[in-house]
Amino acid sequence: MSSRPGSGRPSVVTSLTLAFGIALGACRPAERASAADLARLPWDSVVARARGTSVTWRMWRGDPSVNAYVDRWVAPRVKARYGIGLTAVEGRGPEIVNQLVVEHEAGARGSTDLVWINGETFGNLRREALLDGPWAGGLPNAQYVDSASPIVQRDFEQEPAGYESPWGRVQFALIYDSARTPEPPRTVAALGDWILAHPGRFTHDGQFTGVTFLEVLLYALGGGVQRYQGGFDSVRYAEGSAKVFQWLERHRPAFWRGGKTFPPGVAELHRLFANREVDFSMSYNQNEVVTKVRQGILPPTARPLLLRDGTLANSHFVGIPFNAPNAAGAMVVANFLLSPEAQLEKQKAEVWADGTVLAPDRLPVEWAERFARLARDPRALPPDSLAKYARPEVSPLYHERLAADWRRLVRQGAE
Amino acid sequence: MTRASRRGLLAALAVALPVLVGTGYSILASLGLTGPGSAGFGLARLGAVLRERVVWSGLAWSLWVAAASTTAATAGAVLVAALFRGSAKSDRTARLLAVLPLPIPHLAAAVAGLLLLGQSGLLARLLAALGVLSTPSQMPPLVYDRAGLGLILTLAWKEFSFLALVAFSVVATRGERLEEVARTLGAGSAAVFRRVTWPLLWRGLMPAVVAVFVFVASTYEATAVLAPSDPLALPLLTLERYTDADLGRRGDAFVLVLLGMAVSLIAVAAHEWARSRWDRFEP
Amino acid sequence: MGPEPLGPVRAVSARISRRLLLAALTLSALSPLVLLLLTSVGREWFFPALWPASITIESWRDAFGGGGRIAGALGTSLALAVATGLASAAVGWPIGRTMADLRGWPRHVGAAAAFLPVAAPPVALATGLHLSALTMGVAGTFGGVLLSHLVPAVGYAALYFLGVFTLFDRRIEDEARTLGARSRTVLWRVTVPMLRRQVGEAFLLGFLVSWAQVATTLVIGGGRVRTLPLEVFSYLQAGQDRYAATGALLLVIPALLMLGAVRFAVDRAEATPL
C-alpha cells in the first residue's frame, strides 16, 4: 500500500475501525445484563453482582458543591458499603443524547453506566429507546419516594415509567438583594411595575433559565398552568405566547441596556446582579442562592423570591443507558442516592441545598424528624411556600417554542 | 509537470485535505443532500439562510471586529518595532513585554478582559474610587456592546504581541542595511521611515496581518465571552445552529460554515495576489 | 547601530513617549495576569470593591487535590499538546520542504493550500470534520481530538517550514552528498542539527495551537475529552469565576514554561559549535 498522503489508506482504516466496532457491538448483548432483567431479581443478588465493580456516571459537573457531595460523600460510602468505585464524568443533556445516539448507530460498547437527566433529555432518550428499563420502581428505597407529588411523579409531563429514578427537586425563583430591594415585587404584575419604575435594573438571560422565566410569564399571563397541561397545543401556545411577547415589548425598553442585548447565560446574569448592574437574578434552583452565597459568588444579603402567580418546579433524575456495561452497579448507586441518609445530606444548606424527593410521611419516624429538624439556612424558603406556589412543568415543546420565538422576535428584533 | 512539482502539490493536498473534506461535506449538507434535517437536493435551505438578516448582520459584525482589532494591533506592532529597535536595556525590555502575552490563550485573555472592562469591572471600580462615577451604569459599556469594543481591545492586545514578534524579526533581519543606505544618501528620518522602514515592515507583516484578520473574524471562545447577543457574531450563530434542539435548524449551520470559509478564502486569495505582485519587485 | 539622532525637541518627546510606551507595555502585559490571580483567590469581590472581601485557596487546592477536574484536564491538555507538537513538526517538515521546491503557479497553489487549515475558521473546521470523525469511530475519543488538533497544527508547521526551506541554502547538503553521505545521514547529521532552532519553534507552534483549541475539542470530543480550556469555559458558564481564573492561569503557566524551555534548549544547542 502506497504511503503517499491522500491515497487509499484512510478508507482502509475507516472500514477496519467500523468493522471492529460492529464486531464488538455484536458481542455485547450476550454478555450484558440489562437493568430491566436485574430488576426482577432479588435485590441481594443485584448487590452481589455489583460488588467490586466500577460505575461511570455522566453528569453536569459545573457546581463545586455538587461535585464535592458526589466525589467526597457519595463515592466513599458506596465504595465502603458496596465495593463500587464511582467515577463522575462531565456531560450535559445534549452531549449525553449525542453520545448515546452515536454509540447506538455504531453498535459500539457502552462507556457510561448512569446519567443525570430530566425533561427534554429524558424525552429525547426515551423516544430513541436509548434508556434501559423499567427498573426504578424495583429499588428498595423507591418506597419512600413522594409519588403523590405531581412534581416527582412526572418529568416535564412525561411518565418516568421506571426508566429513570428521581434524585432531587428544585423550584424556579427570582433572586434579589434584601439590602438593595427591601420590598421586592411578589407578583408578575408588580414586577412589571417595578421594572418600569427602575429602568435598566432588570434583565433575563438567553438560555435555559431565561426561557424558564418566559414560561413563568406564560402561566401567569396566559391563564394558569392548567391551560397548558395535557400535551402541546399550538393554538393555546399562540394565544399565551402573544401575551408573553406583548409584556416583553412593553417592559423591554426599561430592561438593562435598554433591552437591546441580553446576557448570554444565567452565570453572566448572576455576575451582573452581584456587581450591582441589575437588581434581580434568577435560578432554576431556589436554593442556588444558599450555595452561591456560601461560595462567595453572590452577596450575603441575596435572597430567593417566589412569585405568587406560581413558579415552575420539577425533579431531576438518574437513568441507565441502554448499553450500560454495569447496570447492576448503577442500580445500587441509584438506590443509595434515594436513601434517606443520602437525601438528607444533599439537602443540607452547607452541602447542596437540593430538595428531597422523599415523602416525610413515608419515612421511618426518626428520619422524618431529622428532615424536619434540618437546620434551615435563613436564606432558604419555607417548604409550605414552596409547595403553595409550585407549578409542574408542562410539555417540553412549550419551552422549545418559547426559546425559538424569543430568539426570533426579541433578541434579533431590536429595531 | 516536473516530479518535484507533483510531489509538492501532493504535499499541499495532504495539508489541505481535511479542510477540503469538511468544506465538501458542508456543501453537500447545504444543498440538502446529507446531514441532519436533509430533505434531498434543493436550494431552499441555502436561500432561506442567506435571506436571514441575522446572518448578514452577524457576518458584518465579525468582519468589523476583525478589521478594527487587526488595525489596532498592527499599528501598535509597527510603533513598538520602530521605536524599540536598539539593543539598549529599555529596548530589550520593551520587546520582551510586548511579546509576553503570546503564550496566553485567547480564552484566558477574554476572561481577564471581561473582569477588567465590564461596567462593574476593575476599570470601572478604579474610576469609582477616583470619584469619576458612582454606579456601573455610568461606565460606558465595553462588553456585550454593539460596537464590540471590549472584544476588539482584548483581541487587539493578544494579536499585538503576535504581530510585534513578527515585526521585530523583520526589522532585525532586513531593516538596518537599507536604512543606512538611505540615510547616507541624505534622506531625513521621516522619509527613511516612509520609504524604507514602513514598506519593509508591511511586506514582512502582511501574511501575519491577514492571518490575524481571518483568525479574529472566526474565533469562537473570546467572542462567546465578550460579544453582545445582537448582532450575533458569525461563529456564535454557527455553533448555536449546529447544536439546536430543532434538527431542522442544524442544517443551517453548514451554510454558515461555508460563509465563514468564504471569508477566509477571499482573504487568503487577496493576500496571495498582493504578494505575487510585490514579488516582482523583490531585489 | 541605533536610530539616527533627531532634532532636540523631537528627541525629548521621543524619550517621553518611549517611557510612556514602556509603562503602558508593562501595565498591559502584567495587569491581566494579576487580575486573574486575584480572581482565582477572591471571595465576595463585588462592585465597587477594589480588593476581594476575603481570600481562599480552595480552587487551587482543588486543582491539585485528588480527583480534581482541573488536574485531569491539565494532564489531557499537556498530553494532546505535546503529541501535537511532535507530530506536526515531524509531518510539517517534509511537507514544507517539498512545497518549497515548487516554482511558478504550483507554488501559488501550494502556498494557498498550506494556508487553508490555518485560515479555516475553527468552528467551520470542527463541524466539517465531525462526520469524518464519527465515521472513523474516533468522535469523543482522545485520538479523535488529537487528529482534529493536528489539522491546523500541521498547517502552521507546513507553512512555517515552507518559509524556512525557501531561505535555506541547500549547498551544504549538496556538499555533504558529494562527500559520499547517504540522504538519511545528510538529514540527521547535517540538516536537522542546522535547523534545531526551527524544529524547536515548530514544536512550540504545534504545542500552542493544540493547547488553546476549544471549538474542535468541543465538537469532535463531544464534551467527553476534557481539556483545560474546555473546563475554563464550563466553569465560566457555571458562574464559577474563581475556578475559571485558576484554570486560565494554569493555561498560561505551562505555555510560558514551554516557551522558555524551547528557547533555553535551542540557545544551548546553538552554543555548541557544529
Side-chain angles (χ1 to χ4, degrees):
Chain A
M1 173 76 56
S2 147
S3 61
R4 281 183 306 159
S7 67
R9 247 225 203 140
S11 61
V12 174
V13 174
T14 311
S15 18
L16 274 179
T17 314
L18 215 49
F20 189 58
I22 290 172
L24 264 183
C27 284
R28 281 271 89 206
E31 296 174 19
R32 190 189 163 265
S34 81
D37 296 332
L38 291 168
R40 281 179 231 132
L41 298 176
W43 184 246
D44 292 333
S45 65
V46 177
V47 173
R49 277 169 187 252
R51 188 162 293 279
T53 62
S54 65
V55 169
T56 304
W57 184 6
R58 250 201 119 179
M59 54 184 289
W60 179 64
R61 302 276 288 162
D63 192 333
S65 299
V66 178
N67 297 347
Y69 170 71
V70 171
D71 298 337
R72 291 206 274 272
W73 194 90
V74 174
R77 278 163 182 74
V78 295
K79 183 82 179 165
R81 287 180 213 185
Y82 305 106
I84 294 178
L86 179 64
T87 315
V89 174
E90 163 78 39
R92 277 175 287 187
E95 293 165 9
I96 294 176
V97 175
N98 278 344
Q99 173 202 335
L100 292 177
V101 166
V102 166
E103 286 179 354
H104 184 76
E105 273 176 24
R109 57 179 292 150
S111 53
T112 312
D113 302 303
L114 198 63
V115 286
W116 181 18
I117 54 176
N118 80 338
E120 229 175 87
T121 310
F122 173 67
N124 286 335
L125 292 175
R126 271 290 267 153
R127 200 171 33 243
E128 307 293 326
L130 294 171
L131 282 177
D132 199 345
W135 56 272
L139 298 179
N141 286 330
Q143 55 175 316
Y144 301 131
V145 169
D146 188 3
S147 45
S149 158
I151 310 294
V152 173
Q153 258 286 68
R154 296 234 163 172
D155 184 4
F156 276 69
E157 246 192 36
Q158 300 157 119
E159 287 263 11
Y163 281 80
E164 52 178 5
S165 172
W167 188 23
R169 57 170 284 173
V170 289
Q171 192 157 339
F172 179 88
L174 292 181
I175 301 175
Y176 72 102
D177 185 346
S178 53
R180 278 183 260 161
T181 319
E183 298 287 346
R186 296 193 181 270
T187 64
V188 167
L191 179 65
D193 294 337
W194 188 96
I195 293 172
L196 292 174
H198 300 83
R201 308 298 302 174
F202 179 88
T203 187
H204 65 85
D205 69 280
Q207 283 173 13
F208 188 76
T209 311
V211 179
T212 308
F213 173 68
L214 296 181
E215 266 191 279
V216 169
L217 288 180
L218 182 68
Y219 292 179
L221 302 168
V225 66
Q226 312 86 291
R227 269 183 69 79
Y228 302 100
Q229 288 175 317
F232 182 76
D233 181 320
S234 46
V235 172
R236 293 196 191 167
Y237 171 76
E239 292 168 0
S241 63
K243 301 207 178 90
V244 171
F245 290 113
Q246 271 169 22
W247 188 95
L248 281 177
E249 279 316 302
R250 193 161 65 242
H251 295 90
R252 185 184 175 179
F255 274 17
W256 174 76
R257 297 274 184 100
K260 297 229 175 65
T261 189
F262 291 85
V266 70
E268 286 76 20
L269 185 56
H270 285 335
R271 205 181 288 127
L272 292 179
F273 166 71
N275 284 305
R276 296 167 175 269
E277 286 194 49
V278 294
D279 290 327
F280 283 93
S281 186
M282 41 188 87
S283 171
Y284 208 89
N285 178 353
Q286 82 282 9
N287 281 327
E288 194 180 356
V289 180
V290 175
T291 43
K292 289 224 153 40
V293 168
R294 193 163 44 81
Q295 291 165 350
I297 295 174
L298 288 180
T301 42
R303 299 275 178 279
L305 172 71
L306 293 177
L307 291 173
R308 298 210 178 111
D309 313 74
T311 67
L312 291 151
N314 80 358
S315 306
H316 50 87
F317 300 74
V318 291
I320 301 182
F322 73 101
N323 60 357
N326 185 6
M331 288 169 71
V332 173
V333 172
N335 185 56
F336 178 74
L337 292 175
L338 265 187
S339 66
E341 183 191 359
Q343 291 273 316
L344 185 73
E345 180 73 13
K346 181 165 63 72
Q347 200 173 320
K348 287 185 186 163
E350 67 273 18
V351 177
W352 182 1
D354 183 49
T356 182
V357 291
L358 305 181
D361 53 352
R362 289 190 175 198
L363 291 169
V365 175
E366 70 270 21
W367 282 110
E369 279 176 8
R370 281 193 201 143
F371 273 98
R373 256 188 288 126
L374 189 62
R376 266 198 298 276
D377 193 297
R379 287 174 280 266
L381 292 160
D384 21 320
S385 304
L386 281 172
K388 186 165 155 202
Y389 299 121
R391 302 283 179 273
E393 277 279 9
V394 293
S395 159
L397 277 175
Y398 283 106
H399 189 102
E400 269 181 41
R401 288 287 299 269
L402 275 172
D405 287 341
W406 178 82
R407 281 185 197 156
R408 200 171 40 92
L409 296 170
V410 179
R411 187 177 71 178
Q412 292 159 207
E415 318 313 314
Chain B
M1 214 194 301
T2 69
R3 208 184 123 198
S5 293
R6 239 198 342 260
R7 277 176 40 206
L9 282 176
L10 271 172
L13 182 67
V15 173
L17 189 66
V19 180
L20 295 174
V21 166
T23 313
Y25 181 70
S26 300
I27 294 177
L28 291 176
S30 305
L31 294 174
L33 291 168
T34 179
S38 61
F41 180 83
L43 298 172
R45 181 191 292 288
L46 200 58
V49 173
L50 290 178
R51 262 199 300 271
E52 285 188 59
R53 196 179 64 83
V54 67
V55 168
W56 294 105
S57 65
L59 176 64
W61 197 86
S62 289
L63 289 176
W64 147 249
V65 167
S69 9
T70 311
T71 311
T74 312
V78 166
L79 184 66
V80 173
L83 274 183
F84 293 102
R85 237 177 333 182
S87 40
K89 178 134 192 224
S90 61
D91 290 312
R92 278 179 297 148
T93 316
R95 287 203 295 271
L96 177 65
L97 286 171
V99 171
L100 206 60
L102 199 59
I104 299 179
H106 289 78
L107 183 56
V111 175
L114 180 67
L115 298 170
L116 184 66
L117 300 171
Q119 280 181 302
S120 54
L122 193 60
L123 188 58
R125 300 182 199 192
L126 281 169
L127 291 175
L130 292 172
V132 174
L133 50 87
S134 54
T135 71
S137 49
Q138 289 168 334
M139 172 83 180
L142 294 173
V143 304
Y144 315 132
D145 60 320
R146 289 196 76 116
L149 291 175
L151 182 62
I152 291 172
L153 277 169
T154 306
L155 289 173
W157 177 79
K158 262 292 299 180
E159 302 312 327
F160 156 74
S161 63
F162 172 66
L163 291 174
L165 181 70
V166 178
F168 293 151
S169 84
V170 167
V171 163
T173 53
R174 311 285 295 277
E176 311 258 320
R177 263 187 319 132
L178 286 170
E179 287 178 340
E180 264 185 67
V181 169
R183 258 178 256 126
T184 52
L185 289 174
S189 290
V192 169
F193 183 80
R194 217 177 52 239
R195 307 195 110 208
V196 178
T197 320
W198 165 248
L200 263 171
L201 263 177
W202 180 235
R203 280 219 55 209
L205 275 177
M206 203 171 44
V209 168
V210 171
V212 164
F213 178 85
V214 165
F215 176 83
V216 171
S218 58
T219 185
Y220 176 75
E221 55 266 25
T223 317
V225 173
L226 295 165
S229 56
D230 177 62
L232 192 61
L234 192 61
L236 299 183
L237 183 63
T238 312
L239 208 59
E240 187 181 85
R241 294 281 167 102
Y242 192 62
T243 50
D244 202 313
D246 180 357
L247 285 185
R249 300 215 100 182
R250 284 204 188 176
D252 294 352
F254 293 102
V255 180
L256 299 174
V257 160
L258 288 177
L259 211 51
M261 293 264 7
V263 169
S264 297
L265 284 175
I266 292 174
V268 168
H271 167 255
E272 261 313 293
W273 175 79
R275 207 171 63 90
S276 66
R277 289 192 60 199
W278 286 33
D279 269 346
R280 277 192 267 136
F281 302 112
E282 176 72 357
Chain C
M1 188 160 168
E4 148 148 321
L6 308 160
V9 171
R10 282 205 229 136
V12 169
S13 66
R15 217 172 301 147
I16 292 178
S17 46
R18 274 176 64 103
R19 287 241 176 89
L20 277 173
L21 212 52
L22 204 51
L25 278 173
T26 315
L27 201 64
S28 103
L30 297 179
S31 53
L33 295 172
V34 170
L35 185 55
L36 285 178
L37 187 62
L38 274 177
T39 309
S40 74
V41 294
R43 285 194 73 241
E44 288 183 41
W45 195 15
F46 311 126
F47 184 93
L50 286 175
W51 296 109
S54 56
I55 300 282
T56 169
I57 55 162
E58 151 203 57
S59 60
W60 287 100
R61 224 184 5 180
D62 267 9
F64 295 110
R69 269 175 77 183
I70 290 188
L74 182 60
T76 309
S77 283
L78 277 174
L80 277 172
V82 168
T84 307
L86 291 172
S88 62
V91 175
W93 169 302
I95 292 183
R97 186 184 184 132
T98 320
M99 289 199 298
D101 290 335
L102 291 170
R103 296 282 175 267
W105 71 263
R107 190 186 179 80
H108 290 296
V109 172
F115 223 95
L116 219 49
V118 169
V123 175
L125 206 55
T127 49
L129 291 175
H130 197 198
L131 178 74
S132 315
L134 286 169
T135 318
M136 292 199 291
V138 292
T141 67
F142 182 92
V145 174
L146 177 60
L147 285 175
S148 72
H149 286 193
L150 278 175
V151 172
V154 166
Y156 274 98
L159 208 56
Y160 177 76
F161 279 120
L162 172 60
V164 166
F165 284 110
T166 305
L167 299 170
F168 183 66
D169 190 347
R170 302 202 188 217
R171 282 176 293 178
I172 292 197
E173 286 185 329
D174 297 337
E175 276 191 37
R177 245 178 259 119
T178 57
L179 289 172
R182 291 200 329 268
S183 284
R184 279 189 65 181
T185 322
V186 173
L187 177 69
W188 288 106
R189 306 200 89 198
V190 178
T191 324
V192 172
M194 272 182 73
L195 295 175
R196 246 196 279 243
R197 182 170 66 86
Q198 283 80 352
V199 171
E201 287 184 355
F203 168 81
L204 187 66
L205 205 52
F207 180 93
L208 289 175
V209 165
S210 164
W211 188 246
Q213 288 290 313
V214 170
T216 40
T217 315
L218 200 54
V219 175
I220 307 283
R224 275 200 286 172
V225 179
R226 308 302 305 179
T227 58
L228 199 50
L230 231 54
E231 297 295 48
V232 173
F233 212 55
S234 282
Y235 276 126
L236 267 181
Q237 289 180 316
Q240 300 287 339
D241 288 358
R242 208 159 46 238
Y243 284 81
T246 307
L249 282 172
L250 285 174
L251 272 179
V252 172
I253 294 167
L256 274 172
L257 289 177
M258 192 58 76
L259 177 66
V262 168
R263 294 197 74 146
F264 176 71
V266 160
D267 283 341
R268 287 198 60 194
E270 285 189 334
T272 318
L274 209 62

